[in-house]
Amino acid sequence: MFKKKPQIKNLSPLRSSDRRKLADQIISDYKVHIPTLQEIDTTISSEEAQAVASSNNPTPALASTRTSLVPETCLSARFSTHAGPNATLVSGTVYVGAHPGQEERILWIQYGKDAKLYPTVYTLWHNPGLVPLLHTPDFVIEKLQTGADLMTPGLVGGPPWPEAAKTGAVVAVAGLERPSVPVWVGTCKIDISSLGRVQGTKGAAVEGVHWDGDEIWNWSSTGSGGRAAPERIEDWELEFKGAEERLAGLDLDEDEDAQEEGGVALEPATVKQNGNTPIDGSIEGEEEAPEREPTTAEVDDAFRDAFLYAVYDAKKNGEPPHYGIDFPIQPSFLIANMVQPHLRFQNQHYTIKKTSWKNTKKFIKYLDKAVLVKSKDRNGGETVILDIDFEDDKIRNFTPYRLPKPKPQPGNGANGDSKLAVNGGGDPSVGQKLSIQTVYRASSKLVPDLIPSKTTFYTASQVSAFLKKYIENSPELTTGTSSPRFVKLNPFIANNILSSHLSGGDSRIMAAGEMARDALLKRVLDDSHLCLPHWVLLRNDQSYDSENPDPTLKPKAGPPPQVNVVLEKRSGTKTATKISGLETFGVNPHTLGPELQKKCAGSASVGQHVGGKPGMLEILVQGDQRDVVEKELGRRGVDRRWIVFEDKTRKKKK
């Protein structure tokens, strides 16, 4: 829900009475068990326990639970944001507090007409067992964190399922890599507790509300960003037993019926079924990713070898001095186009965050220190590669290894349609061929003498053919001209074409009494008072026929469409890339956003386009991602000519 940054108003402290009421509401709603005195101390008599209960003073257990759920320094504030596929405006309240030894975080969310309070991951990390805990493979977690819902086939660990996971209940979701750490919060759309075997079923099981990595997680009072999840939470481990056994018994059917629009794909490229071969089948002779999680050193080696492989390959196939590599190399381009395609293994374990460098900037610094590249820090904290030492021994003596075969795109391979995908399938815009054709509608000044109809749209070649035919049917236009390329002016040309928008050049033409044929055609097409230009977007093998026009291809007036890519500063120094105007070209921002997040190795959000028409969306990606955006749009048929770049990060010249 919180992919787009919410607008949070001024925080105000909660009164003690309101804090206690809020905590008691949470205890009631989530059926939190408060131990009695006799449960804590069995030596206390029932009379003493009843006497304490009848007093107005809370028991130590109740006071401790209240403080854990709603800290004493809790603040509240109203917020608003745009959420959902239609970017609907949502408003509500956030409750901010600090657990001992930590900074303030958003702990609870309340929005819409529902009075229900939703815990954030920060609250769950300090209150094990507060909500039912579900589990799913880690590659599904990555897709859930792009805003997708958890589909029923993605559930792992049952039956039996948690008894409290009923329709409308708030649940937490953890991955199998860290089964005791909730990283996603949602509400049950179905009664999960009554489910049996989930593989082969279809439909969404849990609708996402908040997750580790969204804007609520990222908020902090100091602007330091989100806090990383712990590696394990001891008390949550009681909610999950036998993770390895459950994973071994995981049965993920590749059934096209086991999907529903808006859900998460199950693409278990490396998950094994019953400990045997991968579910989607191994490629014969292909080096298979290890079952165990690699060490940090092994991931470091994989990233370094991938960079060497990319440079070695460029040197082998390119021409000196730069072998086809354009400098400077942006961090996003380095990861998306050089490192990731050349990694030995393609799975969730091999990401920049799993390396010892943790981010691309430090990785570039490492390559610089190894004298493999020359780097430079730019304004705004971005580090780019200015040059590569192509003669380094590590590159010249590099031994290539077998690369994993790329996964077939859904719908493009033999079994592509049977793959489950995020948001109801693969990106249909990938591989499409687009072209923009300009057509013209003639004004009444040219009809019927030159052009037959003023309601039909004609191409430039058709208008040229009409003009040629008009000249052929009027022999006096070509008699006695200074050149065969010229035609004489007759009353129709002089009054209807030239006099429509007379300029200084036209006055000279009128005085000469003749003009070139190509100049006459150019004048007809360029003057919007004579021919009003329209554009038609053609996909794949489509063509526009003015005689028998396709009703789905309706020409639109005005300049041709374009994708706007804007670079701007966010939070003072950080650079961000905004992309808008995608819908016209058949590109779904909700599908492209997660793809850019993966390619750019940074966060990406989709929200209402500021200043655009209602329903028009824009993608916001961290960093200068122009190269990646241009490449991804090119894969979707958007020509470079239709992309307009605007850099607002540069200082204006005085």
Side-chain angles (χ1 to χ4, degrees):
M1 171 179 171
F2 292 98
K3 292 189 292 184
K4 187 172 179 62
K5 188 174 183 179
Q7 301 297 320
I8 299 178
K9 297 183 179 180
N10 295 333
L11 294 167
S12 58
L14 280 180
R15 294 182 300 181
S16 298
S17 58
D18 292 336
R19 185 186 70 83
R20 289 193 296 270
K21 288 180 181 178
L22 182 66
D24 290 341
Q25 178 187 342
I26 294 170
I27 292 172
S28 175
D29 291 345
Y30 288 91
K31 297 179 174 57
V32 180
H33 175 65
I34 307 297
T36 63
L37 288 176
Q38 287 181 308
E39 292 176 340
I40 298 173
D41 187 356
T42 56
T43 61
I44 296 178
S45 64
S46 58
E47 290 77 10
E48 291 176 327
Q50 186 176 2
V52 173
S54 60
S55 66
N56 293 329
N57 296 326
T59 63
L62 176 58
S64 176
T65 303
R66 284 174 173 173
T67 303
S68 178
L69 294 171
V70 185
E72 294 180 354
T73 58
C74 190
L75 309 170
S76 67
R78 296 289 296 172
F79 78 89
S80 61
T81 189
H82 290 84
N86 297 322
T88 306
L89 182 65
V90 177
S91 61
T93 305
V94 292
Y95 295 93
V96 177
H99 290 105
Q102 296 177 352
E103 63 177 327
E104 292 179 333
R105 295 289 179 181
I106 296 177
L107 303 180
W108 294 91
I109 311 161
Q110 192 175 26
Y111 67 91
K113 298 179 180 180
D114 191 358
K116 181 181 294 185
L117 286 152
Y118 296 88
T120 68
V121 290
Y122 296 116
T123 294
L124 296 180
W125 295 344
H126 285 83
N127 295 273
L130 180 64
V131 297
L133 183 62
L134 304 175
H135 293 85
T136 192
D138 290 280
F139 61 85
V140 176
I141 288 289
E142 294 179 4
K143 302 189 180 200
L144 293 178
Q145 291 173 328
T146 66
D149 294 337
L150 175 60
M151 308 301 284
T152 305
L155 294 170
V156 176
W161 308 98
E163 293 183 3
K166 298 184 180 295
T167 306
V170 179
V171 295
V173 178
L176 296 174
E177 183 179 346
R178 291 185 293 180
S180 63
V181 183
V183 294
W184 196 79
V185 181
T187 57
C188 294
K189 300 183 72 173
I190 60 174
D191 186 358
I192 295 177
S193 64
S194 63
L195 289 175
R197 180 180 180 272
V198 297
Q199 279 68 49
T201 60
K202 63 179 182 179
V206 186
E207 181 179 12
V209 175
H210 154 70
W211 53 86
D212 180 341
D214 68 3
E215 291 293 345
I216 288 293
W217 168 88
N218 190 56
W219 183 94
S220 70
S221 56
T222 61
S224 58
R227 178 161 57 88
E231 289 299 320
R232 61 186 292 267
I233 302 175
E234 184 175 352
D235 291 339
W236 270 112
E237 290 182 351
L238 300 176
E239 303 291 324
F240 181 81
K241 296 180 180 180
E244 295 181 356
E245 290 79 1
R246 298 182 186 189
L247 178 58
L250 180 61
D251 181 17
L252 301 177
D253 295 335
E254 292 184 348
D255 185 358
E256 63 180 0
D257 292 333
Q259 69 176 39
E260 183 173 294
E261 187 172 352
V264 169
L266 295 180
E267 300 171 352
T270 59
V271 175
K272 297 198 171 187
Q273 181 176 359
N274 300 325
N276 298 320
T277 57
I279 296 172
D280 61 348
S282 295
I283 300 171
E284 184 177 357
E286 180 183 339
E287 190 170 4
E288 189 177 328
E291 296 179 28
R292 63 176 180 82
E293 180 178 355
T295 63
T296 302
E298 289 174 333
V299 181
D300 286 354
D301 291 342
F303 266 69
R304 182 182 62 253
D305 290 347
F307 173 77
L308 295 175
Y309 199 150
V311 179
Y312 171 86
D313 193 48
K315 185 177 179 180
K316 180 180 178 181
N317 299 305
E319 297 292 334
H322 298 309
Y323 301 99
I325 298 178
D326 294 328
F327 294 97
I329 300 176
Q330 306 286 341
S332 57
F333 184 87
L334 171 68
I335 297 297
N337 298 82
M338 298 182 72
V339 174
Q340 283 187 342
H342 296 90
L343 285 172
R344 293 177 181 271
F345 309 114
Q346 301 287 345
N347 61 42
Q348 70 272 19
H349 297 307
Y350 289 83
T351 64
I352 191 66
K353 292 183 179 180
K354 296 295 181 72
T355 65
S356 60
W357 306 295
K358 302 300 182 186
N359 58 58
T360 311
K361 180 177 181 179
K362 291 183 180 179
F363 178 52
I364 294 176
K365 291 293 186 182
Y366 162 79
L367 297 176
D368 194 320
K369 189 175 181 179
V371 201
L372 284 167
V373 305
K374 181 180 180 181
S375 65
K376 180 181 180 181
D377 293 336
R378 285 183 168 179
N379 294 335
E382 185 181 53
T383 302
V384 298
I385 296 177
L386 298 180
D387 199 5
I388 296 175
D389 184 3
F390 293 95
E391 300 305 319
D392 189 280
D393 290 340
K394 299 183 185 68
I395 296 173
R396 290 193 296 109
N397 300 327
F398 180 78
T399 303
Y401 45 81
R402 183 185 295 273
L403 294 174
K405 289 186 178 180
K407 298 177 183 178
Q409 292 290 337
N412 295 339
N415 299 319
D417 292 337
S418 66
K419 297 284 186 181
L420 297 177
V422 180
N423 295 330
D427 190 346
S429 63
V430 174
Q432 66 179 349
K433 297 179 181 180
L434 302 178
S435 62
I436 296 179
Q437 183 171 351
T438 303
V439 293
Y440 300 89
R441 188 174 65 184
S443 71
S444 57
K445 295 182 178 181
L446 303 181
V447 178
D449 300 79
L450 181 61
I451 297 178
S453 171
K454 66 177 182 179
T455 58
T456 304
F457 294 92
Y458 299 101
T459 64
S461 60
Q462 288 177 310
V463 174
S464 177
F466 291 143
L467 181 60
K468 181 179 180 181
K469 184 177 181 180
Y470 175 78
I471 295 173
E472 290 175 351
N473 293 336
S474 305
E476 68 277 6
L477 296 179
T478 57
T479 303
T481 57
S482 59
S483 170
R485 297 187 301 108
F486 282 72
V487 294
K488 286 185 176 181
L489 304 184
N490 63 4
F492 171 77
I493 296 176
N495 297 329
N496 291 36
I497 298 179
L498 296 183
S499 63
S500 65
H501 187 66
L502 203 61
S503 62
D506 293 338
S507 300
R508 291 191 294 272
I509 293 174
M510 296 284 281
E514 63 179 13
M515 69 182 302
R517 299 188 185 201
D518 54 353
L520 179 60
L521 175 63
K522 187 175 185 300
R523 177 56 186 274
V524 171
L525 295 177
D526 290 352
D527 192 342
S528 60
H529 295 86
L530 300 175
C531 284
L532 185 63
H534 290 65
W535 59 270
V536 181
L537 183 67
L538 305 176
R539 290 182 171 85
N540 301 323
D541 298 328
Q542 284 182 319
S543 60
Y544 186 80
D545 184 359
S546 61
E547 299 297 331
N548 299 293
D550 187 340
T552 62
L553 298 176
K554 186 176 181 180
K556 298 181 180 180
Q562 61 188 27
V563 175
N564 296 301
V565 180
V566 181
L567 265 66
E568 63 181 21
K569 292 290 186 181
R570 310 279 292 188
S571 302
T573 58
K574 296 182 179 179
T575 303
T577 305
K578 293 199 305 184
I579 309 105
S580 60
L582 299 167
E583 293 89 345
T584 304
F585 297 94
V587 179
N588 187 346
H590 285 294
T591 305
L592 178 59
E595 183 70 13
L596 290 178
Q597 178 172 338
K598 178 181 176 182
K599 295 288 186 181
C600 301
S603 65
S605 61
V606 180
Q608 173 68 34
H609 175 36
V610 178
K613 296 180 180 179
M616 300 297 287
L617 305 177
E618 69 178 5
I619 302 175
L620 179 65
V621 190
Q622 288 182 350
D624 182 350
Q625 310 295 352
R626 285 174 290 187
D627 295 337
V628 179
V629 170
E630 182 177 341
K631 180 179 179 180
E632 289 304 309
L633 291 179
R635 292 179 59 221
R636 291 158 174 80
V638 181
D639 192 274
R640 173 65 180 81
R641 297 169 297 169
W642 309 332
I643 306 175
V644 177
F645 294 95
E646 182 181 1
D647 191 349
K648 293 185 178 181
T649 61
R650 295 182 179 180
K651 295 182 179 179
K652 296 182 179 180
K653 295 182 180 180
K654 296 182 179 180

